[in-house]
């Protein structure tokens, strides 16, 4: 079937389904020609969430049909038929006992001329209403700002209508928030049946009416070791993890450093006592809807406890995953005595990801498997491709093995973090969610950040929510529905073709997608940019005049245009439009997308980054005299990019190449241990080249403080002669905060990868230069690779 035949506008689809289905059957006409004989009736003892379900139903029906249905509590005098919402006496008298339903289980059932929509407490009735609005009225919540509302002249349902269901996974969350208007965002996610809001606090006004009390108890949803340990007195020093060089590491944030000593019985006692405190406090705060999952999971770093006993356990279980599991089992056993309903959740992540042998998880333990992408040093998952792909044999086996050890949760990644450009995980999603279900996964969560830089963000967010509810649904009709509603029926076929084309070309990349920078993605060739241009331009022509839809299409140009600019030197001349036009378009669309998708607190920074990048594209930075005439790769701003999360900033510096340099100042107290911070600018200056491919330092160099230039100017420091590996980065300063990936320069075509590497560095401040009035800092403005 061709794409065109496949595409029936969503609104028409709804009518067709209804009219065709209803033609042969008796039907209940709920609204017709702007009128309705129906009253919406709610139970006398309805909860706030059930009352909100009534509001959701009537407000949405008014939008699509123009009819305002009257609303009454059960028991009041009324004439004509009714839609009974929630746990009504009417439903009970028709043999429906919602008391036996699960907390998110729902039912939609016709009863004569009446209709029942309800479910278990505390979310079931809301879910019933949203299912009804989606399935019967064709309404879709496609992004925070856009609800698809088809116009319905006659709204009818079959008189034998009966649907019942519940989401396939008990816990569902996607980390993809726009923070500007928390209420709007939370309602959008809730309507798409998300119930895990990670670290986002829910405004009090929404907790009851949207049934959004927390799924995971205090203190938070992940990396909780820090919360459990931060106030341990000095007498418990041995409960912290022992580093390889024999030091107890006390975490200063949920990013570490270090973990705990898992085998020390005292550590377990401290966790159990604190867990009981959290449970008590949460039950006091949410007496009717308290959380039952408690997260006790490692800090976000890869340093495990290397004490003799912990290492012996790792050997016994053939994996460090067994050490953490034994620890969690002990806590779970103790807590089960008083709280049999509590589940204790722990990470199988980084050092604990490998499934252990000779141990099973207790029935009240939930192991949360997080398989990092290959762009991370310890990652092994090609996150944009299905788990059935040949690259993902190890991650798939790990998942299956963990599912045999105990109950399972998944922390998924819908993106690749270090390569931003035209790419999606849309082909991976349906397969992966089905695999999760087959392996009895109970809880799913996915990270989906970088909304501006990646392709089809809104589609992936919406599709992810759909598949988390029911992975057995066919993804293709869902994608078509989204395309028709989001881009309009005229532009949708072109956007669908563009998505299909992008996926076909992505499939040509032989390596895991986290391992190849844009510069080495040969699929992003001239043909790619020609075809993408054709399809996106055709979509824009088809949507002419519709400002909203045009902005959604323009958003898809951002990653494509960025890739064309980044790959300029690998493309043949002759592409249209010309480079100057692409630069202007990238800036305009990028800034607009930031306005739509980035929260106000990060907006200015994101805008600055785009403006900077565009400015940098036109700066001509001459090669220093000493390298003239040599075969070199010269890396300066704008290729040098900041990494403000880790404290590395791109700053203006008149002495720097192109006027900009990466600066490492003094980081805040929660980034490194106090011990490390004390020596931050007083140690010798180290630099090196690390290969994430072979997980080895290819070269390191220590520059004694006496050998550092004292003139507060940039100087070249030779790192030495090295042979690049596919995934290398240079780093300077022993914090490794200053770093730059060199992966686009690796030649896989037989050419030599041997280079002499030079770093242009400047040190400043009293720590380096006697009498200096400047802030202590190390700056990098240039890296030169010389053949
Ligand atoms: Zn230990």
């Amino acid at each position: 079937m061709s794409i065109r035949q496949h595409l029936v506008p969503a609104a028409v689809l709804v009518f067709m389904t209804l009219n065709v289905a209803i033609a042969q059957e008796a039907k209940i006409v709920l609204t017709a020609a702007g009128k309705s004989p129906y009253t919406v009736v709610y139970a006398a003892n309805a909860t706030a969430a059930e009352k909100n379900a009534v509001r959701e139903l009537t407000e949405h029906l008014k939008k699509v049909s123009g009819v305002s249905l009257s609303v009454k509590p059960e028991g009041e005098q009324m004439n004509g038929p009714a839609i009974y919402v929630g746990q009504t006496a009417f439903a009970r008298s028709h043999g429906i006992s919602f008391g036996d339903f699960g907390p998110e289980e729902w039912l939609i059932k016709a009863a004569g001329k009446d209709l029942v929509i309800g479910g278990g407490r505390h979310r079931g009735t809301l879910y019933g209403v949203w299912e009804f609005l989606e399935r019967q009225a064709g309404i879709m919540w496609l992004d925070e700002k856009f609800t698809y509302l088809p116009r319905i002249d006659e709204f009818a349902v079959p008189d034998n209508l009966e649907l019942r269901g519940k989401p396939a996974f008990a816990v569902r969350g996607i980390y993809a928030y726009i923070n500007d208007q928390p209420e709007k965002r939370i309602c959008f996610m809730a309507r798409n049946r998300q119930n895990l809001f990670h670290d986002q606090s829910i405004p009090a006004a929404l907790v009851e009416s949207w049934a959004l009390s927390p799924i995971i108890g205090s203190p938070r949803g992940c990396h909780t070791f820090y919360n459990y340990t931060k106030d341990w007195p000095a007498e418990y020093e041995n409960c912290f993890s022992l580093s390889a060089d024999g030091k107890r590491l006390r975490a200063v944030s949920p990013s570490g450093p270090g973990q705990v000593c898992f085998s020390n019985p005292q550590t377990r006692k401290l966790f159990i006592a604190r867990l009981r405190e959290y449970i008590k406090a949460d039950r006091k705060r949410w007496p009717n809807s308290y959380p039952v999952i408690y997260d006790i999971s490692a800090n976000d770093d890869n340093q495990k406890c290397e004490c003799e006993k912990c290492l012996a356990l790792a050997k016994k279980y053939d994996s460090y995953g067994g050490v953490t599991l034994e620890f969690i089992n002990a806590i779970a056993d103790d807590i089960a005595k008083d709280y049999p309903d509590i589940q204790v959740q722990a990470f199988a992540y980084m050092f604990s990801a490998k499934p252990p042998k000779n141990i099973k998880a207790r029935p009240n333990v939930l192991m949360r498997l997080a398989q990092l992408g290959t762009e991370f040093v310890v990652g092994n998952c090609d996150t944009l491709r299905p788990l059935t792909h040949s690259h993902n044999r190890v991650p798939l086996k790990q998942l299956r093995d963990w599912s045999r050890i105990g109950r399972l949760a998944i922390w998924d990644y819908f993106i690749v973090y270090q390569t931003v450009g035209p790419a999606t995980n849309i082909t991976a999603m349906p397969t992966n969610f089905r695999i999760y279900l087959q392996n009895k996964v109970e809880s799913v969560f996915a990270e989906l950040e970088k909304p501006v830089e990646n392709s089809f963000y809104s589609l992936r967010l919406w599709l992810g929510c759909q598949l988390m509810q029911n992975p057995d649904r066919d993804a293709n009709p869902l994608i078509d529905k989204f395309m028709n509603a989001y881009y309009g029926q005229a532009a949708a076929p072109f956007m669908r073709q563009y998505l299909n084309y992008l996926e076909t070309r992505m499939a040509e990349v032989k390596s895991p997608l986290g391992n190849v920078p844009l510069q080495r993605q040969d699929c992003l060739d001239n043909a790619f940019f020609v075809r993408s241009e054709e399809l996106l331009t055709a979509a824009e022509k088809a949507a002419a005049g519709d400002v909203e839809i045009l902005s959604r299409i323009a958003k898809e140009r951002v990653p494509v245009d960025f890739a064309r600019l980044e790959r300029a030197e690998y493309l043949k001349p002759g592409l249209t439009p010309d480079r100057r036009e692409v630069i202007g378009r990238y800036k305009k669309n990028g800034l607009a997308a930031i306005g739509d998708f980035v929260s106000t607190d990060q907006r200015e920074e994101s805008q600055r980054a785009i403006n900077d990048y565009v400015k940098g594209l036109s700066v001509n930075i001459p090669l220093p005299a000493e390298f003239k005439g040599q075969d070199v790769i010269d890396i300066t701003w704008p290729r040098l990019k900041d990494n403000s999360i880790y404290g590395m900033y791109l700053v203006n510096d008149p002495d720097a190449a192109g006027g900009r340099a990466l600066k490492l100042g003094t980081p805040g107290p929660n980034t490194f241990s106090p011990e490390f911070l004390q020596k931050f600018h007083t140690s010798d200056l180290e630099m090196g080249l690390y290969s994430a491919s072979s997980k080895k330092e290819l070269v390191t160099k220590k520059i004694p403080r006496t050998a550092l230039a004292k003139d507060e100017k940039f100087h070249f420091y030779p790192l030495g002669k090295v042979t690049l590996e596919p995934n290398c980065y240079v780093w300077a300063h022993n914090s490794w905060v200053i770093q730059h990936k060199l992966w686009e320069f690796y030649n896989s075509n037989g050419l030599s990868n041997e280079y002499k590497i030079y770093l242009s560095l400047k040190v400043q401040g009293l720590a380096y230069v006697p009498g200096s009035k400047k802030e202590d800092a190390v700056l990098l403005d240039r890296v030169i690779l010389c053949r």
Side-chain angles (χ1 to χ4, degrees):
M1 185 185 280
S2 80
I3 295 292
R4 220 170 254 285
Q5 282 173 303
H6 209 61
L7 282 162
V8 182
V12 176
L13 241 173
V14 170
F15 288 121
M16 278 173 44
T17 321
L18 294 179
N19 293 339
V20 169
I22 294 162
Q24 294 98 17
E25 303 165 357
K27 62 184 180 178
I28 306 176
V29 180
L30 298 171
T31 72
K35 293 203 172 77
S36 173
Y38 278 79
T39 303
V40 176
V41 176
Y42 59 92
N45 69 343
T47 62
E50 286 158 1
K51 285 181 187 158
N52 186 36
V54 169
R55 260 194 308 275
E56 285 287 283
L57 179 67
T58 52
E59 283 176 11
H60 281 90
L61 286 185
K62 175 151 200 266
K63 284 177 185 162
V64 292
S65 70
V67 181
S68 291
L69 295 174
S70 62
V71 176
K72 283 185 177 169
E74 196 166 30
E76 266 190 27
Q77 178 69 33
M78 57 169 221
N79 301 313
I83 305 175
Y84 290 90
V85 175
Q87 304 193 351
T88 55
F90 179 88
R92 253 191 320 280
S93 72
H94 282 74
I96 303 162
S97 55
F98 284 124
D100 302 335
F101 277 49
E104 296 184 332
E105 195 172 0
W106 52 268
L107 173 87
I108 300 165
K109 189 175 177 0
K113 287 255 171 284
D114 300 303
L115 189 68
V116 172
I117 305 175
R121 284 188 176 151
H122 50 292
R123 278 187 280 275
T125 295
L126 271 169
Y127 282 22
V129 162
W130 290 325
E131 290 284 343
F132 179 75
L133 293 172
E134 264 186 355
R135 290 171 185 238
Q136 305 303 133
I139 291 168
M140 293 186 278
W141 297 277
L142 296 181
D143 72 20
E144 288 195 5
K145 293 175 185 149
F146 179 55
T147 300
Y148 178 68
L149 298 159
R151 209 171 61 80
I152 303 179
D153 294 328
E154 184 193 88
F155 185 28
V157 298
D159 72 347
N160 60 354
L161 178 66
E162 183 167 358
L163 299 164
R164 182 173 175 167
K166 63 177 180 186
F169 302 101
V171 178
R172 306 166 303 281
I174 300 180
Y175 186 68
Y177 302 139
I178 309 172
N179 289 310
D180 266 1
Q181 295 167 291
E183 297 207 2
K184 207 171 178 185
R185 173 226 335 143
I186 289 162
C187 295
F188 160 68
M189 300 295 266
R191 283 172 176 142
N192 281 298
R193 269 77 93 205
Q194 295 273 293
N195 62 11
L196 176 60
F197 286 82
H198 194 52
D199 268 359
Q200 308 285 307
S201 63
I202 309 290
L206 297 185
V207 171
E208 291 301 324
S209 55
W210 291 74
L212 293 177
S213 53
I215 287 278
I216 300 179
S218 299
R220 64 197 291 254
C222 65
H223 303 308
T224 52
F225 279 7
Y226 168 67
N227 304 75
Y228 273 84
T229 62
K230 64 182 174 187
D231 58 358
W232 283 357
E235 62 186 288
Y236 297 129
E237 207 59 23
N238 287 345
C239 294
F240 288 100
S241 61
L242 191 72
S243 67
D245 55 356
K247 287 182 192 132
R248 294 284 169 185
L249 295 175
R250 183 186 272 264
V252 294
S253 80
S255 303
Q259 310 292 348
V260 295
C261 178
F262 299 97
S263 60
N264 185 337
Q266 184 61 42
T267 314
R268 299 175 183 193
K269 278 188 199 156
L270 288 168
F271 271 82
I272 290 164
R274 181 58 54 88
L275 173 57
R276 283 174 195 277
E277 288 170 25
Y278 284 137
I279 294 171
K280 275 190 198 137
D282 286 351
R283 290 191 180 202
K284 205 170 157 195
R285 192 166 164 200
W286 292 286
N288 303 317
S289 56
Y290 50 78
V292 293
I293 301 174
Y294 279 79
D295 184 272
I296 298 185
S297 66
N299 296 322
D300 199 3
D301 82 4
N302 199 29
Q303 288 175 297
K304 53 199 186 286
C305 183
E306 311 245 5
C307 83
E308 221 170 276
K309 253 183 113 179
C310 285
L311 290 180
L313 286 177
K315 206 164 177 191
K316 175 179 163 189
Y317 297 124
D318 189 40
S319 157
Y320 212 96
V323 186
T324 52
L325 181 54
E326 190 198 277
F327 169 76
I328 283 301
N329 274 347
I331 295 169
D333 280 344
D334 195 278
I335 219 71
K337 289 183 228 155
D338 294 330
Y339 299 103
D341 56 338
I342 291 287
Q343 299 162 43
V344 186
Q345 174 178 272
F347 263 135
Y349 173 55
M350 295 212 275
F351 63 85
S352 64
K354 186 183 158 196
K357 290 177 180 152
N358 315 316
I359 186 168
K360 295 272 182 221
R362 297 290 191 268
N364 58 337
V365 162
L366 192 59
M367 289 307 289
R368 198 184 215 184
L369 179 61
Q371 309 200 82
L372 275 172
T374 54
E375 69 270 29
F376 297 100
V377 175
V378 293
N380 61 12
C381 194
D382 193 353
T383 52
L384 299 187
R385 301 206 222 252
L387 282 162
T388 45
H389 192 278
S390 61
H391 293 159
N392 283 330
R393 283 198 189 105
V394 172
L396 178 60
K397 183 168 187 323
Q398 286 193 344
L399 187 146
R400 285 181 172 150
D401 288 349
W402 270 114
S403 84
R404 283 189 276 268
I405 291 168
R407 297 169 67 178
L408 199 56
I410 291 288
W411 181 297
D412 203 344
Y413 301 91
F414 282 2
I415 64 169
V416 161
Y417 287 84
Q418 290 176 36
T419 310
V420 287
T424 84
N425 66 324
I426 287 170
T427 48
M429 279 180 165
T431 307
N432 290 0
F433 280 107
R434 250 169 246 150
I435 289 172
Y436 299 154
L437 195 63
Q438 286 156 9
N439 285 279
K440 302 189 198 70
V441 168
E442 297 175 31
S443 157
V444 283
F445 178 80
E447 286 193 54
L448 177 60
E449 295 100 323
K450 300 186 182 284
V452 175
E453 297 91 333
N454 285 297
S455 301
F456 290 106
Y457 168 81
S458 297
L459 169 58
R460 288 188 292 150
L461 178 52
W462 179 81
L463 185 64
C465 294
Q466 292 289 322
L467 295 173
M468 284 179 175
Q469 295 168 52
N470 180 5
D472 288 328
R473 297 176 72 179
D474 185 352
N476 279 315
L478 286 173
I479 295 168
D480 289 338
K481 270 173 84 170
F482 180 96
M483 291 278 181
N484 278 316
Y486 201 68
Y487 298 108
Q489 51 178 301
F494 301 109
M495 296 307 286
R496 185 60 152 119
Q497 282 180 62
Y498 166 61
L499 172 63
N500 293 350
Y501 179 67
L502 172 59
E503 287 176 337
T504 309
R505 299 305 311 267
M506 270 174 69
E508 291 170 13
V509 181
K510 296 278 184 286
S511 314
L513 288 150
N515 292 0
V516 272
L518 289 176
Q519 288 82 356
R520 268 174 38 218
Q521 284 186 24
D522 295 338
C523 67
L524 300 175
D525 54 10
N526 281 51
F528 174 84
F529 292 104
V530 169
R531 186 73 183 131
S532 306
E533 187 69 34
E534 270 171 23
L535 291 169
L536 293 172
T537 304
E540 281 170 343
K541 274 193 189 135
D546 191 321
V547 177
E548 278 302 313
I549 292 178
L550 287 174
S551 81
R552 291 176 200 143
I553 299 167
K555 158 77 189 66
E556 290 314 311
R557 285 195 181 277
V558 177
V560 180
D561 286 343
F562 178 70
R564 210 189 114 177
L565 296 170
E566 286 284 290
R567 284 186 51 78
E569 60 201 274
Y570 304 88
L571 296 170
K572 294 187 196 90
L575 281 173
T576 52
D578 69 12
R579 180 177 162 83
R580 204 178 327 158
E581 196 174 319
V582 171
I583 292 174
R585 187 167 73 181
Y586 170 70
K587 182 176 167 182
K588 178 168 164 263
N589 293 336
L591 292 175
I594 288 168
D596 283 341
F597 288 100
V598 176
S599 60
T600 30
D601 59 328
Q602 289 166 34
R603 198 171 287 167
E604 206 176 310
E605 179 59 27
S606 306
Q607 286 167 341
R608 188 197 57 73
I610 282 200
N611 283 324
D612 246 26
Y613 175 75
V614 165
K615 201 169 146 195
L617 290 174
S618 56
V619 173
N620 184 19
I621 305 168
L623 196 67
E626 61 261 52
F627 295 99
K628 286 247 163 77
Q630 298 187 52
D631 183 6
V632 299
I633 296 168
D634 183 18
I635 305 162
T636 59
W637 170 70
R639 209 166 219 161
L640 290 180
K641 292 187 176 70
D642 58 0
N643 201 343
S644 52
I645 296 170
Y646 298 106
M648 181 172 72
Y649 300 93
L650 193 65
V651 295
N652 289 322
D653 186 323
D655 299 332
R660 295 204 159 226
L662 292 174
K663 177 180 148 190
L664 171 67
T666 301
N670 288 337
T671 326
F672 297 98
S673 70
E675 204 185 19
F676 189 82
L677 277 179
Q678 235 173 28
K679 293 190 212 148
F680 206 73
H681 284 296
T682 58
S683 312
D684 291 333
L685 188 66
E686 294 176 46
M687 55 190 200
L689 184 80
Y690 180 79
S691 166
S693 317
S694 59
K695 302 191 186 345
K696 275 197 300 225
E697 288 286 2
L698 301 184
V699 60
T700 58
K701 191 158 186 181
K702 197 180 263 189
I703 311 164
R705 298 174 59 75
T706 47
L708 288 167
K710 301 278 187 289
D711 57 358
E712 300 190 319
K713 298 225 176 286
F714 286 96
H715 294 274
F716 281 105
Y717 295 90
L719 181 58
K721 196 181 232 185
V722 259
T723 302
L724 292 186
E725 294 185 7
N727 199 351
C728 285
Y729 50 94
V730 281
W731 56 270
H733 191 264
N734 57 356
S735 63
W736 284 36
V737 167
I738 295 187
Q739 49 176 269
H740 183 76
K741 269 197 162 209
L742 299 178
W743 57 349
E744 67 262 43
F745 307 114
Y746 176 78
N747 294 306
S748 52
N749 48 8
L751 292 172
S752 165
N753 278 298
E754 194 178 78
Y755 294 96
K756 277 187 211 150
I757 300 181
Y758 299 84
L759 272 64
S760 170
L761 293 164
K762 168 163 102 172
V763 292
Q764 64 171 45
L766 202 52
Y768 299 99
V769 181
S772 172
K773 299 254 187 311
K774 292 185 176 166
E775 174 202 359
D776 290 339
V778 179
L779 295 100
L780 171 81
D781 74 331
R782 195 163 213 155
V783 178
I784 288 191
L785 277 63
C786 199
R787 273 200 204 274

